[in-house]
Amino acid sequence: MIVGAGFGGIGLAVLLKKARIDSFTIYEQAEQPGGAWWHNRYPGAEVDTVSFVYSYPFRPNEWSRTHAKQPELLRYLNDTIDEFGVRSHLHCGVGVESAQWDESAHIYHLTLSTGETTWCHVLVGATGFLNIPNYPTWPGLESFQGIKFHSSRWESQHDLKDLTVAVVGTGSTGTQIVPELASIVKQLYVFQREPGWIVAKDARDYTPKERAAIGGWRGYRWARLKWLTLAEVFYLRGTPFRRGTLFHYAGQRSALRNIEKEFADRADLKDAVTPNYPFWGKRLVFNSSFYPALKLDNVELVSNAVASVTPTGIVDAAGVERRVDVLVMATGFQTTNYLGTMQVRGSTGQTLQEFWEGEPKAFLGITVPTFPNFFMMYGPGTNGAVVLSMLMHQAEYIVRAVKRMQRRHVTAIEVKPGWMYRYHSWLQTQVNRTVWGSAHNYYRGANGAIVTQWPFGPGLYGLMARVIGRGSERARRRMAAADSGDDVARQSIDDSRR
């Protein structure tokens, strides 16, 4: 069972198909597949990675732009589903509410959002970490009488033309929304709690010649190989995220020069958009249209956090109220609430959240001790590198494990506790050498540890998954006690040395 039909879940489904494993089902709680790209349909939604890299290695595409917009990404994913025969495995509008490991049978019992129950041998959580909206808790929010919604649940039925709109949040989502709304609304207030480091994106349409080149296998493979090789050099030893390194210094200087250029005649805005924490301290924003939008006559940047909401407006931390018709909350996601939409219980009866105790951790972000036959995609400690490459390395890991279970008739496989704890300790040492601990960001768990990030490139991650993945596993086989004639009697055979 695969929970989630975004790029991760669908990529895994295709690899299972290629491995001639057809006995799988995908549950997606949304009405259509797409994951983040189904929910995030706000104006200006587009990917930050170049399109031919934010795509599957097994399926080239004639992308129209250097950075594909949401409709094209969703179309690409649906075309992939149909091309590889995945749609018959897909059940949309059905979520998995709970999963309970049954040690006697080596299966998970699942409860679905429909009230039905089912079971599976292997459970994969492919819900990602940007799937649960982070709704603010401002005093008075419920009393607001105008239109209000979260950016990831955009209400397109509303015509915002000539209205006064507030966008709260200037991260990747907010900076994409602002330029789109600025051209149609009467007045746009942009509430910024803290400025982010913004890097010019230079997104553009491909020429017909470029589209044809990357749409064919040879051009596609070459373009990806070249880009990913350069990325691996860039990520080498995590140098972009460490203060004092060449990549870090050059990146910060380039971002500062961009601010100087854009706001040469607007000292007030220049000061307001210049961060006071190190470059890469939180997620970079890749955008070339946000800064120009802030200089428009109908746009006002409010450099204060929201303090409260009234029935007709928003009050900032300085006590100033601004009347608005529409409130758009670009306030991000519950990034460290992994698998927060379903309750998973392992062999000890603990839930994942109880096991983690405020610090999500998993071996390679995929497997957790005492949770046999359970795998995560884009789990703890895997964010920061090239998304699709990381997802495909995880999918390959899962397929290898399932094939091994089939080949050796294994019925339970899980990571050895010592391997996960040593890996997590090593990863914490690496992330604590970065600048991520110097800023207010979404990387921290409840206990303050940085739990979302991977500080290197996808190549090193993939190598580790292939080399040390097998040694981390303990496999068992459930067998009936043939001599006793008792169908319930079971014994587990440790297959970890095979």
Side-chain angles (χ1 to χ4, degrees), residues 19 21 398-409:
I21 301 171
I398 295 167
V399 171
R400 285 195 297 270
V402 173
K403 289 176 68 176
R404 179 182 167 221
M405 292 176 73
Q406 290 183 326
R407 185 174 62 251
R408 296 188 178 275
H409 306 289

Side-chain angles (χ1 to χ4, degrees), residues 233-249:
V233 173
F234 177 76
Y235 284 115
L236 185 65
R237 300 187 66 183
T239 53
F241 316 119
R242 298 185 184 182
R243 200 195 306 251
T245 64
L246 177 61
F247 277 128
H248 185 268
Y249 175 77

